[in-house]
Amino acid sequence: MLTVSDARGKQDQLLQSCYITIPMRSLTVLNNRITTCTACPRLVTYRQAIAREKRRQYRDWTYWGKPVPGFGDANARLYVLGLAPAAHGGNRTGRVFTGDRSGDWLYEALHRYKFANKATSQQKNDGLALSDCYIGATVRCAPPGNKPAPEEFEACRPYVREELRLLRKVRVVVVLGKIAFDHYLKACREEGHQLPFPIPTFGHGVVYKMPWGVTLVGSYHPSQQNTFTGKLTRPMFHEVFRKAKRVIGDR
């Protein structure tokens, strides 16, 4: 015989299951839309050309050659926002920050603070999984010279906005680079959030408590331009995620 307590327990389990499943399904729908997007002709031409021509060391690869969707935990409390896929990184592998040196730095840091089960990310089927973390990008296609055009940022920002709406548990946002920092703030403004005054300004390691309950943390992007020159060191980068972990707290 089912008691009232048992019934309530089953109801709670069902509600919890729905709470987890609905964001996952919605993110899957969003990611399917992202991967079929052809809104920016310049980016379509470039990513497809790279996928055909390839780099010599990857000549045996079948390049992804499409927009790269977000990746991670639908119930994440940490959201990481990058710039755009690398031509021979995400554009090759089909997963954000996968197969390039920037990804090596990012996943190493995420693993150290228990947001990832592995410290490396080489291809989509390598067993990497994120816990309590989701990764997006301000532009989803690899851009020529790693420099998206203003209209390409505008075309892609609705994807960031939708991710932020679907990731309802996010408490900390780590933004990689000033460009992504500025576009995150634009996305928040477009979502109806009142930005603080003065407007937050980018800096490595800066922390802002946003009025809608999110903590924003700035970081230099782990690009080779920054890591090879010493502008960004591993201790500096790891400190960003230590701050994020401290805000979230141990589970």
Side-chain angles (χ1 to χ4, degrees), residues 227-239:
T227 59
F228 280 12
T229 60
K231 181 176 182 179
L232 179 64
T233 65
R234 275 186 168 83
M236 289 170 61
F237 195 53
H238 286 192
E239 175 65 13

Side-chain angles (χ1 to χ4, degrees), residues 68-167:
V68 179
F71 168 61
D73 184 349
N75 290 287
R77 290 179 292 175
L78 171 64
Y79 180 70
V80 179
L81 184 64
L83 176 59
H88 302 281
N91 187 58
R92 171 172 59 90
T93 64
R95 191 170 67 195
V96 64
F97 280 103
T98 295
D100 58 42
R101 292 181 183 270
S102 295
D104 292 343
W105 277 60
L106 177 59
Y107 289 111
E108 179 187 53
L110 291 175
H111 179 256
R112 177 170 180 174
Y113 290 98
K114 301 182 180 179
F115 293 110
N117 66 336
K118 297 176 60 176
T120 59
S121 177
Q122 299 302 320
Q123 55 189 351
K124 286 184 73 174
N125 62 350
D126 59 8
L128 175 70
L130 298 184
S131 176
D132 216 8
C133 176
Y134 196 89
I135 305 174
T138 54
V139 171
R140 305 303 169 120
C141 294
N146 204 32
K147 293 182 179 179
E151 62 272 17
E152 292 161 355
F153 282 114
E154 296 298 315
C156 250
R157 198 157 57 248
Y159 296 137
V160 175
R161 292 175 57 187
E162 191 163 348
E163 280 179 347
L164 293 172
R165 288 196 298 269
L166 292 173
L167 296 168

Side-chain angles (χ1 to χ4, degrees), residues 25-77:
R25 288 178 178 170
S26 299
L27 284 167
T28 299
V29 171
L30 170 61
N31 287 338
N32 287 339
R33 287 189 7 240
I34 290 172
T35 58
T36 57
C37 181
T38 57
C40 303
R42 186 182 80 116
L43 297 185
V44 172
T45 299
Y46 180 72
R47 60 175 165 78
Q48 291 179 346
I50 291 294
R52 287 193 305 271
E53 296 163 7
K54 307 181 182 181
R55 181 176 280 174
R56 180 176 296 179
Q57 70 193 93
Y58 303 125
R59 63 183 180 276
D60 295 330
W61 275 76
T62 298
Y63 272 53
W64 173 255
K66 295 182 285 188
V68 179
F71 168 61
D73 184 349
N75 290 287
R77 290 179 292 175

Side-chain angles (χ1 to χ4, degrees), residues 5-23 25:
S5 177
D6 290 337
R8 285 176 178 171
K10 287 184 178 294
Q11 185 180 42
D12 289 344
Q13 290 176 5
L14 179 61
L15 289 172
Q16 180 66 17
S17 175
C18 291
Y19 185 81
I20 293 171
T21 302
I22 291 171
R25 288 178 178 170

